[in-house]
Amino acid sequence: MQINTEEHVDATDQEVILWDRKIPEDILKEIATPKEVPAESVTVWIDPLDATQEYTEDLRKYVTTMVCVAVYGKPVLGVIHKPFSEYTAWAMVDGGSNVKARSSYNEKTPRIVVSRSHSGMVKQVALQTFGNQTTIIPAGGAGYKVLALLDVPDKNQEKADVYIHVTYIKKWDICAGNAILKALGGHMTTLSGEEISYTGSDGIDGGLLASIRMNHQALVKKLPDLEKTGHK
């Protein structure tokens, strides 16, 4: 099993965490049939502090911590925790979840959530693609942006119909969200519609498109000019 994390801890500073191997009842009742996979097929991606810049600016609503389990490169289990509102979303592909999609989404003039630092470059293409009624929501943190697509009981959580990212992004930022969306029937791909493999390199530079309860491939075709713009 391989573990990838954004946190870099010196050996002398490592914290020892003990687990009694008891799974909470609310999770057990959602996962009826446990699954066994070879340990060597598992990759774990951990982001201990998503939206680091926003955290330093005291914009705490954007901050999440995330854990994702991928099997043979495919995301199968994702957890996104909002520490400052004490809300946790989790989902397992072909398993259970404690979060769900919203009842409806606007595909014609969607609300698009994008990175706060790259909102301008996405806005221009989005308005050309979907029209002037399209709303752009600049936000921090990939975890927060995925939760914006779902039915989240948090008054500080904005709502969006599509999540678009146009620059290089680390896999520990997106794996958990990818797993949750996949478990709920949604999609997270590169801007060209390619599935993302959670093995190998730490990041992707093909941009990002995430949606749920929409024709994802139709969205991909609507964004032919929104190309990757290099590493951050």
Side-chain angles (χ1 to χ4, degrees):
M1 181 174 67
Q2 181 176 348
I3 298 178
N4 299 283
T5 176
E6 185 178 22
E7 185 177 25
H8 301 285
V9 181
D10 294 333
T12 56
D13 294 330
Q14 288 184 355
E15 179 182 1
V16 177
I17 300 175
L18 300 178
W19 177 41
D20 60 10
R21 296 187 178 274
K22 291 182 179 179
I23 301 175
E25 288 296 326
D26 60 331
I27 295 178
L28 279 175
K29 70 180 182 181
E30 295 288 348
I31 302 177
T33 306
K35 299 177 182 179
E36 291 188 7
V37 297
E40 60 270 19
S41 71
V42 175
T43 306
V44 179
W45 296 87
I46 301 172
D47 191 342
L49 182 62
D50 190 37
T52 307
Q53 178 62 37
E54 285 71 23
Y55 177 72
T56 65
E57 298 172 5
D58 205 28
L59 298 173
R60 296 185 175 185
K61 73 175 185 178
Y62 297 124
V63 176
T64 64
T65 61
M66 296 184 286
V67 177
C68 177
V69 177
V71 178
Y72 295 115
K74 296 181 179 181
V76 297
L77 175 62
V79 180
I80 302 177
H81 176 63
K82 301 183 78 173
F84 295 106
S85 60
E86 298 183 351
Y87 171 76
T88 303
W90 70 269
M92 180 178 178
V93 176
D94 297 325
S97 70
N98 74 336
V99 64
K100 60 184 180 180
R102 300 200 305 273
S103 59
S104 64
Y105 294 84
N106 188 336
E107 197 161 347
K108 292 184 178 179
T109 55
R111 293 170 60 85
I112 301 175
V113 64
V114 302
S115 169
R116 291 174 68 227
S117 56
H118 303 107
S119 60
M121 64 180 72
V122 181
K123 183 174 183 178
Q124 181 180 357
V125 173
L127 294 179
Q128 291 174 352
T129 304
F130 298 105
N132 292 330
Q133 299 302 313
T134 300
T135 301
I136 303 298
I137 305 172
Y144 179 91
K145 297 185 190 78
V146 168
L147 292 179
L149 304 182
L150 304 175
D151 185 10
V152 174
D154 183 349
K155 64 181 181 179
N156 292 319
Q157 178 66 59
E158 296 166 284
K159 297 183 183 302
D161 301 298
V162 180
Y163 167 23
I164 297 176
H165 187 83
V166 296
T167 59
Y168 178 85
I169 192 167
K170 294 288 190 178
K171 290 179 181 178
W172 49 63
D173 288 323
I174 60 175
C175 186
N178 196 339
I180 291 174
L181 287 175
K182 186 176 181 181
L184 300 177
H187 302 274
M188 179 182 287
T189 66
T190 65
L191 292 173
S192 59
E194 297 175 353
E195 295 294 328
I196 300 165
S197 174
Y198 291 92
T199 57
S201 64
D202 286 346
I204 63 166
D205 58 5
L208 190 72
L209 177 65
S211 70
I212 188 167
R213 291 191 176 177
M214 285 191 178
N215 186 333
H216 190 81
Q217 288 305 315
L219 291 174
V220 169
K221 292 178 180 179
K222 283 184 177 181
L223 298 170
D225 298 323
L226 195 57
E227 299 176 351
K228 63 187 179 184
T229 56
H231 288 203
K232 60 182 178 180

